[in-house]
């Protein structure tokens, strides 16, 4: 049925190859500008970055097309860089775990105990901050964590500490809190989307048949929401690999993450070194996306969010 | 019943987590708004008094206003281009048989998934080192298109997919050309989705910081201006700017939400009517 409608190409007599090709071209023409943007402004620049990461620089810091592995060697032999990469993974994993745990509790509450209408409203309330400016959300934490921030004032006011402390900001703690803050709405949105489809009477049924609550949870609920859990992990972890704003605003000199190295290399015009770091991040992202591609529900997030 | 023994406790602790999350999400924003009205030269607790001084300072700051102007120019151009380009692509993606449908879909979701910093630095190499363009608002617009076009494509494509093709075939039976059917039947019905795509493009573009930071030349946009300001000292008028931006973004997104809801209701109503009739 649909094939009759799909367009001139399918209806054209097979002998008139020229006509067919013309019709096909006309059909695909509206796609061209978008293809130019995705290929010309996204795929090609990324490919070039890849190539640059294997090129060297001359004494004027100009990139010359001489193939080398030096940029990667330099990265992996520098303990600071390797430590930063490792720390990014640790913080990224930690933030992902915290985000998923809290978001799961909230999504479970909304899906199971709240009427659908109110759950939708609650979800909207959770998503709204996520749609406000990313830069300002990070900045707003300075008002809380900073030396004169709310947290310090409250703690001093309560007599818990004697004078404002810098313990909460310009270190990994600040970065961690703000990253959780930034990505938790994502996780809540994705997990709610999969819990909403889950029929909670199955849990009761499992328990009626003798399963302990934990067993019912593990063997009945978890397998059914696995795609949602994985999507949530990916949507929290991947952006953290590219976070350079949060560490630079609340992380201080000690709190830098891998993407700060990238940004700093580029701001200092050390293009091949930067490109190597960029490629490492891109490689991680690609591996994650390929491994989990079957479970990803990107449209869930984009269209519903 | 084995379920109900802990049910109440579980429910209450989950409610508590939910409440804590809402506080956690809104507290920083609330403080930012409160501080924008604080009299003290370095905003912070305790609040010293109410003033509109920072809003006045904001309106008298020439550089800031120019940055706002740049952001608006970029956002308007980006959203017009992204909406047209994305809508056209969505039609082809949903309706024509393209050769690698999965690969194409992935290519359109990648720019949303890949961290912005990678898009930013790769465009920087591309523009500055390969093409030898000087960085300007034009390069910023190009960078924003990379993320906004996929958003429009995904939103419009998902609407088109649920579109009732019988309506179009009915139009064709009644003598409409394919062009007429699209213009008078399809476009009006998916218009809310297109509008939502346009509004989301505007907000994405106005708020975009990461890609902009690498592709911007000497003319700052509002986010890059705010960033340099905040990095180099306390500027209380930033709180005022932030509050205004917050209100504007939420307003635009509210509109987008209304448009999406309208689209959903429209297609729902069409389907119900067909099932009834």
């Amino acid at each position: 049925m649909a094939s009759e409608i799909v367009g001139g190409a399918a209806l054209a007599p097979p002998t008139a190859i020229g006509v067919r090709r013309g019709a096909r071209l006309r059909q695909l023409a509206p796609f061209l500008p978008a293809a130019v943007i995705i290929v010309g402004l996204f795929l090609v620049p990324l490919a070039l970055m890849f190539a640059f990461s294997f090129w060297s620089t001359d004494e004027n810091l100009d990139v010359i097309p001489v193939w080398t592995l030096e940029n990667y060697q330099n990265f992996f032999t520098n303990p600071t860089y390797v430590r930063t990469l490792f720390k990014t993974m640790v913080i990224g994993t930690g933030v992902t775990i915290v985000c998923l745990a809290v978001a799961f509790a909230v999504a479970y509450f909304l899906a199971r105990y709240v009427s659908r209408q109110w759950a939708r409203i609650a979800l909207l309330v959770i998503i709204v901050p996520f749609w406000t400016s990313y830069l300002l959300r990070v900045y707003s934490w300075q008002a809380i964590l900073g030396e004169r921030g709310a947290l310090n004032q409250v703690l001093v006011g309560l007599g818990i500490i004697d004078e404002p402390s810098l313990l909460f900001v310009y270190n990994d703690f600040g970065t961690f809190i703000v990253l959780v803050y930034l990505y938790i709405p994502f996780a809540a949105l994705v997990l709610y989307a999969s819990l909403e489809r889950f029929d909670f009477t199955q849990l009761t049924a499992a328990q009626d048949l003798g399963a302990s609550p934990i067993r019912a949870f593990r063997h009945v609920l978890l397998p059914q929401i696995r795609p949602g859990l994985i999507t949530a992990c990916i949507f929290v972890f991947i952006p953290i690999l590219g976070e350079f704003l949060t560490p630079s605003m609340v992380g201080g000199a000690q709190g830098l993450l891998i993407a700060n190295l990238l940004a700093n290399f580029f701001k200092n015009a050390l293009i091949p070194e930067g490109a190597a770091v960029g490629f490492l991040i891109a490689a991680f992202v690609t591996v994650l996306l390929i491994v989990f591609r079957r479970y990803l529900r990107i449209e869930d997030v984009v269209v519903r969010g | 019943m084995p379920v109900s023994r802990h049910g109440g406790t579980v429910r209450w602790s989950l409610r508590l987590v939910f409440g804590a999350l809402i506080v956690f999400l809104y507290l920083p924003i609330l403080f930012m708004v409160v501080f924008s009205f604080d009299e003290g030269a370095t905003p912070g607790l305790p609040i010293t008094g109410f003033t509109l001084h920072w809003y006045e300072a904001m309106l008298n700051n020439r550089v800031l206003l120019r940055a706002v102007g740049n952001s608006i120019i970029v956002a308007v151009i980006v959203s017009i281009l992204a909406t047209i380009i994305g809508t056209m692509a969505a039609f082809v993606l949903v309706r024509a048989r393209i050769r690698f449908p999965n690969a194409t879909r992935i290519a359109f979701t990648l720019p949303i998934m890949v961290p912005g910093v990678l898009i930013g630095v790769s465009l920087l190499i591309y523009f500055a080192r390969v093409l030898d363009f000087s960085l300007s608002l034009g390069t910023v617009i190009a960078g924003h298109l990379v993320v906004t076009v996929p958003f429009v494509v995904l939103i419009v494509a998902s609407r088109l997919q649920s579109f009732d093709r019988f309506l179009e075939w009915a139009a064709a039976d009644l003598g409409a050309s394919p062009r007429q059917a699209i213009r008078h039947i399809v476009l009006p019905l998916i218009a809310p989705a297109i509008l939502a795509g346009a509004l989301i493009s505007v907000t994405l573009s106005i708020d975009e910081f990461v890609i902009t930071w690498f592709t911007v030349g000497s003319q700052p946009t509002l986010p890059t201006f705010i960033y340099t300001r905040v990095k180099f000292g306390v500027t209380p008028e930033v709180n005022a700017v932030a509050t205004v931006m917050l209100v504007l973004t939420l307003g635009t997104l509210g509109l987008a939400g209304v448009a999406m809801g309208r689209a959903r209701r429209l297609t729902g109503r069409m389907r119900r009517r067909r099932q009834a009739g």
Side-chain angles (χ1 to χ4, degrees):
Chain A
M1 182 71 150
S3 63
E4 290 174 42
I5 312 300
V6 160
L11 296 173
T15 43
I17 285 172
V19 176
R20 246 182 105 155
R21 192 165 291 161
R24 178 112 187 109
L25 270 183
R26 214 169 322 122
Q27 201 182 19
L28 292 182
F31 194 66
L32 206 64
V36 167
I37 285 175
I38 296 299
V39 175
L41 293 175
F42 177 67
L43 296 176
V44 168
L46 278 182
L48 280 168
M49 187 179 77
F50 181 54
F52 270 58
S53 75
F54 292 102
W55 285 355
S56 356
T57 39
D58 61 15
E59 59 275 15
N60 301 324
L61 287 181
D62 281 329
V63 181
I64 42 171
V66 175
W67 298 92
T68 173
L69 279 174
E70 217 173 279
N71 304 311
Y72 291 93
Q73 256 163 23
N74 287 345
F75 181 88
F76 282 108
T77 49
N78 185 322
T80 316
Y81 298 165
V82 176
R83 208 184 310 127
T84 309
L85 177 66
F86 182 69
K87 194 175 82 186
T88 308
M89 297 298 156
V90 173
I91 288 189
T93 312
V95 170
T96 309
I97 291 171
V98 171
C99 278
L100 251 73
V102 177
F104 180 83
V106 169
Y108 187 88
F109 171 67
L110 292 179
R112 183 162 192 184
Y113 298 115
V114 178
S115 76
R116 189 148 290 193
Q117 194 190 354
W118 280 105
R120 289 267 159 95
I121 292 171
L123 210 63
L124 196 68
V125 172
I126 294 173
I127 297 302
V128 162
F130 161 72
W131 275 111
T132 61
S133 166
Y134 160 71
L135 171 72
L136 293 178
R137 268 179 300 147
V138 179
Y139 165 72
S140 68
W141 273 94
Q142 289 191 335
I144 291 196
L145 297 174
E147 199 177 354
R148 293 199 63 240
L151 185 60
N152 267 320
Q153 300 292 332
V154 168
L155 289 180
V156 172
L158 290 176
I160 296 173
I161 50 177
D162 293 333
E163 51 191 56
S165 147
L166 271 173
L167 267 179
F168 313 116
V169 76
Y170 311 124
N171 55 30
D172 290 335
F173 174 79
T175 306
F176 194 94
I177 293 285
V178 177
L179 287 178
V180 169
Y181 175 75
L182 287 176
Y183 296 110
I184 213 168
F186 264 145
L189 182 67
V190 176
L191 289 180
Y192 179 77
S194 53
L195 281 168
E196 192 190 29
R197 298 183 200 118
F198 180 75
D199 179 2
F200 283 96
T201 51
Q202 289 178 27
L203 282 185
T204 324
Q207 277 165 281
D208 283 348
L209 293 172
S212 67
I214 292 172
R215 210 175 137 83
F217 185 84
R218 258 197 64 188
H219 294 281
V220 179
L221 178 65
L222 274 192
Q224 295 188 47
I225 62 161
R226 186 172 294 137
L229 285 172
I230 291 175
T231 308
C233 280
I234 299 279
F235 266 84
V236 175
F237 191 77
I238 287 184
I240 292 174
L241 293 179
E243 266 292 336
F244 78 97
L245 180 69
T246 305
S248 89
M249 298 245 301
V250 295
Q254 301 303 311
L256 297 186
L257 295 182
I258 185 79
N260 293 89
L261 292 181
L262 172 69
N264 291 344
F265 277 134
F266 273 90
K267 283 289 164 190
N268 296 320
L270 297 167
I271 306 282
E273 287 89 340
V277 180
F279 179 70
L280 284 177
I281 298 176
F284 267 109
V285 172
T286 315
V287 167
L288 286 175
L289 286 180
I290 288 176
V291 169
F292 295 114
R293 71 182 179 284
R294 279 192 302 130
Y295 298 107
L296 274 186
R297 296 213 179 117
I298 292 162
E299 270 114 359
D300 256 14
V301 181
V302 173
V303 177
R304 297 175 56 119
Chain B
M1 280 255 293
V3 196
S4 55
R5 191 150 37 102
H6 300 294
T9 334
V10 170
R11 206 171 148 164
W12 269 104
S13 41
L14 286 178
R15 186 171 292 171
L16 216 63
V17 175
F18 173 71
L21 177 67
I22 299 295
V23 172
F24 178 64
L25 286 177
Y26 281 87
L27 209 57
I29 299 175
L30 186 75
F31 272 113
M32 201 169 66
V33 174
V34 169
F35 288 166
S36 77
F37 297 107
D38 182 17
E39 245 174 18
T42 50
L45 290 178
I47 306 293
T48 39
F50 176 85
T51 179
L52 286 175
H53 172 76
W54 304 121
Y55 288 86
E56 210 182 303
M58 170 183 82
L59 291 175
N60 288 326
N61 189 332
R62 283 272 178 80
V63 194
L64 171 79
L65 291 183
R66 214 170 300 135
V68 171
N70 289 338
S71 272
I72 291 174
I73 293 171
V74 169
V76 168
I77 297 176
V78 163
S79 103
I80 292 173
L81 287 177
T83 309
I84 296 172
I85 294 171
T87 305
M88 292 196 309
F91 266 91
V92 178
L93 211 60
V94 173
R95 300 195 155 185
R97 274 178 302 177
I98 39 179
R99 200 155 306 170
F100 304 105
N102 281 334
T104 318
R105 239 160 219 283
I106 291 171
F108 274 97
T109 41
L110 268 185
I112 298 175
M113 292 300 301
V114 165
V117 70
L118 290 180
I119 301 176
V121 296
S122 63
L123 279 175
L124 174 64
I125 307 183
Y126 188 52
F127 288 140
R129 295 287 163 139
V130 180
L131 298 180
D132 214 13
F133 283 0
S134 55
L135 298 178
S136 64
L137 290 185
T139 51
V140 172
I141 290 171
H144 287 190
L145 284 177
V146 176
V147 281
T148 49
V149 166
F151 262 95
V152 177
V153 170
L154 290 184
I155 290 170
V156 176
S158 93
R159 231 5 74 223
L160 266 181
Q161 232 141 22
S162 61
F163 182 81
D164 188 349
R165 303 262 342 227
F166 279 108
L167 292 169
E168 245 176 307
W169 299 334
D173 279 348
L174 295 171
S177 68
R179 194 174 295 246
Q180 280 175 320
I182 289 201
R183 166 125 177 51
H184 295 290
I185 308 288
V186 184
L187 280 185
L189 282 174
I190 62 161
I194 298 176
L195 181 66
L199 291 173
I200 285 174
S201 303
V202 170
T203 39
L204 280 177
S205 170
I206 291 254
D207 285 341
E208 217 299 320
F209 167 74
V210 179
I211 298 176
T212 316
W213 180 243
F214 292 99
T215 51
V216 76
S218 52
Q219 298 159 283
T221 65
L222 186 55
T224 56
F225 171 80
I226 293 177
Y227 179 70
T228 38
R229 266 307 165 85
V230 171
K231 277 296 265 187
F232 300 109
V234 188
T235 36
E237 71 246 50
V238 167
N239 289 319
V241 182
T243 306
V244 173
M245 269 178 85
L246 193 73
V247 172
L248 289 180
T249 319
L250 293 184
T252 320
L253 285 168
L255 283 179
V258 170
M260 292 274 264
R262 219 179 117 68
R264 224 164 265 155
R265 271 198 302 284
L266 265 179
T267 40
R269 202 184 301 153
M270 306 301 278
R271 195 165 300 149
R272 276 197 300 282
R273 208 172 280 169
R274 213 183 86 211
Q275 277 160 359

